Every structure is written in C-alpha cells, then in structure tokens.
Amino acid sequence: MAGFHIKQIVLLLLLVCCAHAHTHIRNLIIDGKTLERGQCIRPYESHFNYPVKGVDNEQIVCRTTSMSASSTDMCDVKAGSTMTIEFHEEEDSGSRAIEGKHYGPCIAYLSKMTSDGQPSGWFKIFEQGYDSSSKKWCIDTLNANDGKLDIEIPGDIEDGDYLLRGEIIALHLAEKKGGAEFYNNCVQLTISGGSGTATPELVQIPGVYAEDDPGIYFNLYDGYKSYSIPGPKVYKAGSVAAVNPKAPGNGETESSSSAGGEDDNGGEDDNGGEDDNGGEDNNEPTTSSSSRKGNGSPPDDDANPSPTDDDDSKSSSPAASTKPTSSPKPPCTRPRRRRRNVDARRRIAEL
C-alpha cells in the first residue's frame, strides 16, 4: 500500500515538472523597445506553451493553425540590426524561459512570406547548442538572460516581409526516437535597409529534420561530450555571393563571350574571302555564320552553307578537276591585250 502511494507521489511530481517545462516566444525587443506579449507573433494556440512532437508535424512550422498574415501585425526591422526574442514558460514576463534540465539548442530561421502569408523557404540565421568547454547549453544561457535571445538580421538580404522562426529543441526525452520536443513560434517582420542582393540556400520545414538526426535523436544521460545542432549551416551576411546574370563567370555571359569570339573569327574569315583564297575561305564563314545564327544572328547567313556544300561537292566531282586548268586563263589573256596595244601604237606611228 505504501508503495502505491509512493508511485502516486512520483507521478504527481512528474506532472508538476512537465506542467512547468513548457515555453513560448512571449514578446520581442526591437530598437530597444519591449513590445506587448504576442505583438507581431503568429497567434498562439490555446495550449500556447505546449511542445510539438514529430519532425513531420505541420505544427512544427509556427506552432499555430493560423497561418494568415492578416491576423498579425508586422514589425519593422532594419537589415543588419539585432533584435531580441523572449522565451517564457508563462504569460507573464517574470517567469523563467524553460525548465532548467530540459537541455537543448536554440535556433532561428528566416523565410520570405508569400502573398498569402506562407513561408517560401527557410534559411538559418542563428544557432547555439552545447559548449563543451563550459558544459553549458543554450537553455542555461537563456535562463540566465531572463529568456532573452539576441538575433542578428543579415544585412545583405532582400527587403520584404519575412517570417522569423524561433525554436528551442528540448532533448530530455530524446533518447527515444520521436521524443524530442519542439518549442517554436513565428514572428512577422518587414525587413528593409539592406543591400538586398543575397540569395541564401533554402530548406523546407517540415523536411529539414529527420527523427534519427544526431541532434534530434540524442541521449542526455549517456555521458555525452559534444552535440551536433540539426539543420543547415547558419547564413551570415556575405557568405553567399549575389547571383548576377551579367557577371563574369556565369554560364549566360560565357556563352555570349564565346559567341563574341566566334564573331571575331567570322570577321577574319570574311577578310579571307576578300583575299580570294578560293573555296577554302567559303568554308570558314559557314562555320562562323552558323554560330552567329545560334546567338540570334540574322537569318541571311543561312545562304552561306549552300555555296560551301556546293564547293565541297565540286572538289570531289570530275568537273572540279578542271578547276586548276581554268585558273591560269587570266595570265594567258593579259599578254594578248598587251600585243594588241603594241600593234595599235605601231599603226599610229606609221600614220
């Protein structure tokens, strides 16, 4: 009987523990101003601080069923600035961030919003996990800072409306697959003032995590010495070059520059044709004109291949063998013209 009461007490303690182990993004701090609870944050569910379980759960996106941008304010943030998100267990700001033994990483993503308020693809802008030198987790830092987590907005991303997704992954039950708990919320931001050229590589949520990822399926009670944060690498301003279709090195520019080289060669071939080099020169402009045609050259150049084909056929035909005998004719006619001129002069002299 006593054993039964002990089990009940243990169960009650576990329930009390778990009831206070939850968290949510309560509020933001932008430009030094602390905003009201829920301002610019996608609407909370009734169990606002409960975790999401399962990496493929649709709630893992923003922990809300309301994904319409119209139901939430937009907060203005400057690209390159640092804003703060605050995690708290309860609605009041005096509560701790999360239960102290629920170790795990803190992560933040950004995604441009579509016209209907949906995320278009995410890139990671912040992460903090386990520091093996201090043996501290992000959770320890978060509780020591009254739930405040500073997030730097990249200074080179495009201006526009974004979702910022803040997340804590609690690993206290993650020694079993599917045991990790996700505490995430989404913040609506209008970001402006950056250089607006970067194109970070995007991931999809759900999709970025797997249940057997080392950072998701993890045993806190097995003497770990390190921890691998799940998801992609953190994007930092300047770490990805802007895509410029006219910049040197792009395929489009290379094709146009190579076309330019062919055009230059074509010019040389035209000069060769003027030098009366015969059918061989006719072949060269044919190659050049076909490459120019592939780059949008006028269709008049299509006439060039036909003479070339004719010349090639003549060179292999019996008629072509007479071509060398006909070429010496001009030297034979020129002396005759000179003799006629001499005879005319003699007649004029006799007169």
Side-chain angles (χ1 to χ4, degrees):
M1 190 73 176
F4 176 76
H5 289 297
I6 293 175
K7 289 181 179 180
Q8 284 184 318
I9 294 172
V10 171
L11 180 60
L12 288 173
L13 289 174
L14 287 173
L15 290 173
V16 170
C17 170
C18 294
H20 294 281
H22 303 160
T23 189
H24 72 306
I25 297 179
R26 181 191 180 277
N27 60 273
L28 314 175
I29 301 176
I30 299 176
D31 292 333
K33 180 181 179 181
T34 301
L35 305 185
E36 296 293 328
R37 178 180 183 267
Q39 186 175 350
C40 298
I41 301 172
R42 286 285 170 93
Y44 306 120
E45 297 294 294
S46 57
H47 301 293
F48 63 89
N49 60 359
Y50 276 45
V52 175
K53 287 291 194 90
V55 297
D56 295 324
N57 190 331
E58 289 297 327
Q59 290 278 310
I60 203 173
V61 182
C62 293
R63 201 167 35 156
T64 182
T65 56
S66 178
M67 290 298 290
S68 172
S70 61
S71 60
T72 306
D73 293 336
M74 301 293 301
C75 281
D76 294 326
V77 176
K78 294 179 181 178
S81 67
T82 298
M83 61 174 291
T84 302
I85 57 178
E86 279 195 39
F87 284 92
H88 290 284
E89 282 185 334
E90 305 297 340
E91 295 184 26
D92 65 282
S93 59
S95 61
R96 63 185 175 181
I98 193 171
E99 200 280 324
K101 298 298 182 182
H102 285 28
Y103 299 128
C106 309
I107 304 172
Y109 293 85
L110 272 180
S111 171
K112 289 203 76 172
M113 281 200 305
T114 62
S115 58
D116 59 352
Q118 302 299 311
S120 59
W122 302 90
F123 57 99
K124 186 189 288 185
I125 61 170
F126 176 88
E127 66 178 19
Q128 184 178 336
Y130 175 69
D131 185 345
S132 58
S133 60
S134 65
K135 302 187 185 305
K136 298 291 185 181
W137 286 85
C138 178
I139 300 304
D140 299 314
T141 304
L142 203 60
N143 279 323
N145 292 338
D146 297 325
K148 297 179 177 66
L149 191 66
D150 292 337
I151 306 294
E152 181 180 355
I153 305 299
D156 60 350
I157 59 176
E158 296 179 339
D159 290 352
D161 293 338
Y162 284 81
L163 284 172
L164 184 150
R165 178 181 177 276
E167 174 180 55
I168 291 174
I169 304 177
L171 302 171
H172 57 289
L173 300 175
E175 74 275 10
K176 296 181 179 180
K177 287 185 180 181
E181 295 182 348
F182 299 87
Y183 297 94
N184 50 282
N185 294 98
C186 291
V187 178
Q188 292 191 172
L189 303 174
T190 298
I191 299 175
S192 61
S195 59
T197 57
T199 55
E201 185 176 352
L202 304 178
V203 298
Q204 297 301 317
I205 301 176
V208 69
Y209 300 144
E211 292 290 4
D212 57 355
D213 283 347
I216 303 292
Y217 178 40
F218 185 82
N219 193 341
L220 283 173
Y221 317 107
D222 195 26
Y224 62 91
K225 295 182 179 179
S226 62
Y227 171 77
S228 178
I229 300 174
K233 293 182 179 179
V234 173
Y235 175 76
K236 294 291 185 183
S239 61
V240 173
V243 176
N244 182 355
K246 295 184 179 180
N250 286 324
E252 181 180 342
T253 306
E254 288 177 0
S255 62
S256 62
S257 63
S258 63
E262 291 173 3
D263 288 343
D264 292 339
N265 293 335
E268 292 174 3
D269 295 336
D270 291 340
N271 292 336
E274 293 174 2
D275 289 341
D276 294 330
N277 289 329
E280 294 178 358
D281 283 327
N282 290 336
N283 291 335
E284 294 298 332
T286 303
T287 304
S288 176
S289 64
S290 64
S291 65
R292 284 198 294 270
K293 180 184 177 184
N295 289 280
S297 299
D300 294 342
D301 289 338
D302 291 341
N304 288 333
S306 297
T308 303
D309 295 339
D310 292 342
D311 291 341
D312 291 339
S313 62
K314 289 176 183 178
S315 64
S316 60
S317 66
S321 62
T322 61
K323 190 173 183 179
T325 60
S326 61
S327 58
K329 288 182 179 179
C332 294
T333 57
R334 287 172 186 169
R336 291 175 184 173
R337 290 175 184 172
R338 289 174 183 172
R339 290 172 185 172
R340 290 174 183 173
N341 292 336
V342 172
D343 293 340
R345 289 174 185 172
R346 287 178 180 176
R347 292 174 184 174
I348 292 172
E350 290 175 356
L351 294 174

